[in-house]
Amino acid sequence: MVSGERVLIVEDDPSAGAGLTLSLTEHGYDVVLVTTGREALTAAEGRPPEIVLLDLGLPDLDGVHVCRVLREKLPFVPIVMVTARDADIDVVVGLDAGANDYVVKPFTTAVLLARLRAHLRRPPATDADSEVMTVGELHIDTASHRAFLAGDEIELRPKEYALLHLLVTEVGRVVTRDRLLNDLWDLRWESSTKTLDMHVHALRRKLGDRPNGSAWISTVRSIGYRFESP
């Protein structure tokens, strides 16, 4: 049982909204249910939620647009898109709009609750958080959760930063898919690996190639990913 974390659910389907509200309330969450994009933006201006579950198919505003505005209003609040759209392009667009995760309908309550727990987990700050990690022209400021490449800041969503930080911590070594899913999402289900792959894809796109044309992140087939040494 959790201790009343506030969840903003944006879902226009009455049955789906009622089901989510009931399930999350039974598990101790403080649920706010809205049915339109405008209501979601208004709700974000009051008492901010700890996490947002956002459906894409809203009756008034495009869900991707709502996600972008929510990300601006709530820069550190996890946003989980909950939708029936399962094409790779939809996942990419959703993540690029600022979503931290993408859950495809239908899903089980157990999977959704695991996602919520993973995103709501916030480790305490330590003195080590002041460290600046450097790999070639890449610099990671762990105190501010910011990354810089050749002096320019890389705009990273929270999960992209967490993924980059973990890979750089193990620079030159393979980080398994199981570890990435478990450490960043608390997940081990095979069906959840698309979320990891899309985050790696987005991170690669933002990093680009090294000056010599090689990639920062290599895929080790059937095992995981490796952040390459300079």
Side-chain angles (χ1 to χ4, degrees), residues 20 24 32 75 79 81 96 99 110 158 177 179 211 227:
L20 283 172
L24 297 186
V32 175
I79 299 175
M81 285 188 171
D96 282 346
R177 298 175 69 88
R179 179 183 172 189
F227 200 89

Side-chain angles (χ1 to χ4, degrees), residues 98-117:
N100 299 86
D101 205 349
Y102 198 101
V103 180
V104 178
K105 300 176 181 177
F107 51 84
T108 66
T109 300
V111 169
L112 182 62
L113 289 171
R115 298 285 180 101
L116 292 179
R117 289 194 300 271

Side-chain angles (χ1 to χ4, degrees), residues 8-18 21 32-43 53-61 63 66:
L8 174 61
I9 299 176
V10 189
E11 172 61 72
D12 68 316
D13 181 273
S15 177
T21 299
V32 175
L33 173 65
V34 299
T35 59
T36 69
R38 290 186 176 86
E39 289 176 331
L41 300 181
T42 299
L53 300 183
L54 173 64
D55 183 31
L56 290 182
L58 301 175
D60 58 341
L61 301 175
V66 174

Side-chain angles (χ1 to χ4, degrees), residues 2-98:
V2 296
S3 55
E5 287 96 337
R6 189 177 180 86
V7 182
L8 174 61
I9 299 176
V10 189
E11 172 61 72
D12 68 316
D13 181 273
S15 177
L20 283 172
T21 299
L22 178 61
S23 295
L24 297 186
T25 301
E26 288 179 342
H27 283 82
Y29 291 96
D30 177 14
V31 177
V32 175
L33 173 65
V34 299
T35 59
T36 69
R38 290 186 176 86
E39 289 176 331
L41 300 181
T42 299
E45 293 174 352
R47 176 187 165 193
E50 273 76 39
I51 193 166
V52 177
L53 300 183
L54 173 64
D55 183 31
L56 290 182
L58 301 175
D60 58 341
L61 301 175
D62 177 68
V64 173
H65 170 72
V66 174
C67 182
R68 290 194 180 99
V69 178
L70 285 175
R71 175 51 64 221
E72 293 177 359
K73 292 177 177 290
L74 307 169
F76 302 110
V77 173
I79 299 175
V80 179
M81 285 188 171
V82 181
T83 176
R85 305 178 191 176
D86 61 353
D88 285 355
I89 185 61
D90 292 317
V91 180
V92 172
V93 169
L95 296 176
D96 282 346

Side-chain angles (χ1 to χ4, degrees), residues 43-222:
E45 293 174 352
R47 176 187 165 193
E50 273 76 39
I51 193 166
V52 177
L53 300 183
L54 173 64
D55 183 31
L56 290 182
L58 301 175
D60 58 341
L61 301 175
D62 177 68
V64 173
H65 170 72
V66 174
C67 182
R68 290 194 180 99
V69 178
L70 285 175
R71 175 51 64 221
E72 293 177 359
K73 292 177 177 290
L74 307 169
F76 302 110
V77 173
I79 299 175
V80 179
M81 285 188 171
V82 181
T83 176
R85 305 178 191 176
D86 61 353
D88 285 355
I89 185 61
D90 292 317
V91 180
V92 172
V93 169
L95 296 176
D96 282 346
N100 299 86
D101 205 349
Y102 198 101
V103 180
V104 178
K105 300 176 181 177
F107 51 84
T108 66
T109 300
V111 169
L112 182 62
L113 289 171
R115 298 285 180 101
L116 292 179
R117 289 194 300 271
H119 286 295
L120 289 169
R121 185 180 298 113
R122 293 186 175 92
T126 65
D127 291 339
D129 292 335
S130 62
E131 179 185 5
V132 175
M133 304 170 65
T134 300
V135 180
E137 294 186 318
L138 177 68
H139 304 275
I140 299 176
D141 185 338
T142 58
S144 63
H145 284 212
R146 301 167 71 190
F148 301 85
L149 184 60
D152 296 324
E153 183 170 2
I154 310 168
E155 295 296 331
L156 298 174
R157 298 189 301 274
K159 281 297 182 184
E160 291 172 352
Y161 170 83
L163 174 60
L164 177 63
H165 181 272
L166 178 53
L167 290 173
V168 171
T169 300
E170 301 291 343
V171 62
R173 295 187 289 269
V174 178
V175 183
T176 66
R177 298 175 69 88
D178 280 349
R179 179 183 172 189
L180 291 168
L181 286 169
N182 187 55
D183 286 5
L184 302 183
W185 285 276
D186 194 23
L187 296 171
R188 292 183 179 275
W189 295 286
E190 184 65 28
S191 60
S192 303
T193 61
K194 178 180 287 189
T195 296
L196 169 60
D197 293 337
M198 291 303 171
H199 276 77
V200 172
H201 172 79
L203 193 54
R204 281 172 166 160
R205 178 172 53 78
K206 292 181 179 183
L207 289 171
D209 292 331
R210 296 178 187 269
N212 63 5
S214 63
W216 290 91
I217 302 173
S218 297
T219 300
V220 181
R221 189 175 299 277
S222 301

